[in-house]
Amino acid sequence: MSYPQLQELVQGYSTPFLLEQYVHARDEYTADAIKIMEAELARRNVGKDQIDEYSKSGVLSELGDQGNVTIRHVKRDDFAKLDGSFSRSDGVLIRAMFGDEDVPFFLDTSVNPSVVPGQETAVTVGVYVHKDSLDKARELVAGHFDLVDGVFKVRHADMRERLVSFSFDEIPQQELDSAEITGVHFSPEEKGVLIRLGKRLQDEIDEIENRDGRIVFHFDNVEELLEQLDEKDPALTKTLLLTALEILQIYAKDEDFGDTAQGIAQALLGFFLQ
């Protein structure tokens, strides 16, 4: 995600959610994102004293009419875990969804043993919600997810939202350096969709970066991706797969972003954030 995009995202946070993320979830953000949050807190006249008080007491905050922060004390016992867990990528969607609706929550990452011998363990996210907001949280989750075998699965119709909320900073460099790729194969129809959108991006790159205020991180790899997709057995690296994912993210809100494109996005998100 580009610096302007991060700035826009943070500016959209409510003050309680911004404080909660800056104080309690800062390990999940990049250094640039933390700097943006600090600047946004300063712009809202939330000073060091209020932040320190928030940190010491583990509190939720509410913004008063004059821009001051009012402290409301809560305990961890005031939070209850939602039945079921979420994938790491869906945790990003939960943060945005609950933040927009001012639902007090925190995330807890755990590792669930794989039920299939020889497969890697699955990293899932537990969501704890303040008991006063449980009904609201359950209603929000029910509107976007289905519970399958104890894990919430985002509905296919919400794949665009999940794709748009994906941050490329979530993928560690050491993960990209790994050469092993398993379980990713594109059908001729899927290749056709990626080639069409990739060529479109080549034609529209200047317009997109100027209009959206973003830098297309993997644009330099688009030509190589298109060349490989034109082969019968493409040699796709993880960087090229991430390039494909960024192309899909750019056009996720287009009217002609159909089921095939959503299926590719779902597979790639699952591959990188399993």
Side-chain angles (χ1 to χ4, degrees):
M1 184 178 291
S2 67
Y3 194 93
Q5 283 180 302
L6 281 170
Q7 207 166 28
E8 182 179 356
L9 178 66
V10 169
Q11 288 172 352
Y13 287 172
S14 67
T15 299
F17 183 66
L18 177 57
L19 268 171
E20 190 270 342
Q21 295 300 295
Y22 179 70
V23 173
H24 297 300
R26 61 187 297 135
D27 290 344
E28 301 177 24
Y29 290 89
T30 64
D32 281 344
I34 292 171
K35 289 179 182 177
I36 291 172
M37 286 192 282
E38 290 172 344
E40 183 63 17
L41 285 167
R43 189 181 72 83
R44 300 185 192 189
N45 296 318
V46 179
K48 185 176 183 298
D49 290 343
Q50 290 102 327
I51 295 172
D52 288 345
E53 181 66 22
Y54 185 96
S55 303
K56 292 174 185 175
S57 55
V59 299
L60 300 172
S61 308
E62 295 175 350
L63 189 64
D65 293 337
Q66 305 304 317
N68 297 318
V69 174
T70 302
I71 303 300
R72 176 163 63 92
H73 293 267
V74 295
K75 302 176 182 177
R76 186 183 178 96
D77 291 344
D78 293 331
F79 289 77
K81 184 178 181 297
L82 293 179
D83 293 332
S85 56
F86 298 82
S87 69
R88 283 173 53 200
S89 58
D90 289 339
V92 177
L93 180 56
I94 287 293
R95 282 200 298 267
M97 188 168 66
F98 283 4
D100 288 343
E101 296 294 332
D102 292 333
V103 173
F105 74 99
F106 65 88
L107 305 180
D108 179 55
T109 303
S110 58
V111 178
N112 290 345
S114 173
V115 297
V116 180
Q119 287 193 1
E120 295 182 356
T121 56
V123 178
T124 58
V125 176
V127 178
Y128 290 78
V129 177
H130 194 272
K131 293 175 182 178
D132 291 346
S133 299
L134 267 177
D135 289 342
K136 184 177 183 180
R138 286 168 177 158
E139 182 179 349
L140 287 169
V141 169
H144 294 80
F145 295 87
D146 293 315
L147 186 60
V148 180
D149 296 330
V151 178
F152 285 103
K153 303 290 186 181
V154 69
R155 294 199 183 100
H156 190 66
D158 293 311
M159 179 51 60
R160 295 191 196 195
E161 186 175 357
R162 183 185 185 194
L163 177 59
V164 170
S165 68
F166 172 75
S167 170
F168 290 87
D169 291 330
E170 293 178 63
I171 310 300
Q173 184 59 47
Q174 58 265 33
E175 174 68 17
L176 294 180
D177 291 339
S178 170
E180 184 179 0
I181 296 179
T182 58
V184 178
H185 305 282
F186 295 126
S187 68
E189 181 182 7
E190 290 170 334
K191 288 181 181 179
V193 168
L194 289 174
I195 289 172
R196 174 175 61 82
L197 293 177
K199 288 181 177 179
R200 182 177 166 187
L201 177 59
Q202 287 181 319
D203 293 335
E204 299 175 351
I205 179 63
D206 291 335
E207 175 189 347
I208 288 169
E209 290 191 332
N210 291 330
R211 181 193 66 202
D212 299 340
R214 69 176 290 166
I215 297 173
V216 181
F217 291 131
H218 297 284
F219 180 72
D220 290 344
N221 303 318
V222 171
E223 185 173 355
E224 182 182 356
L225 172 65
L226 296 180
E227 290 175 355
Q228 288 298 326
L229 290 172
D230 218 19
E231 299 288 335
K232 181 178 179 181
D233 296 310
L236 296 173
T237 63
K238 289 187 176 180
T239 299
L240 291 181
L241 292 180
L242 210 56
T243 303
L245 190 60
E246 186 172 28
I247 292 171
L248 293 169
Q249 186 184 65
I250 288 168
Y251 293 109
K253 294 183 178 180
D254 280 22
E255 291 183 1
D256 63 347
F257 192 84
D259 289 343
T260 300
Q262 292 189 50
I264 302 170
Q266 184 170 18
L268 289 176
L269 285 170
F271 173 74
F272 282 111
L273 298 176
Q274 56 189 331

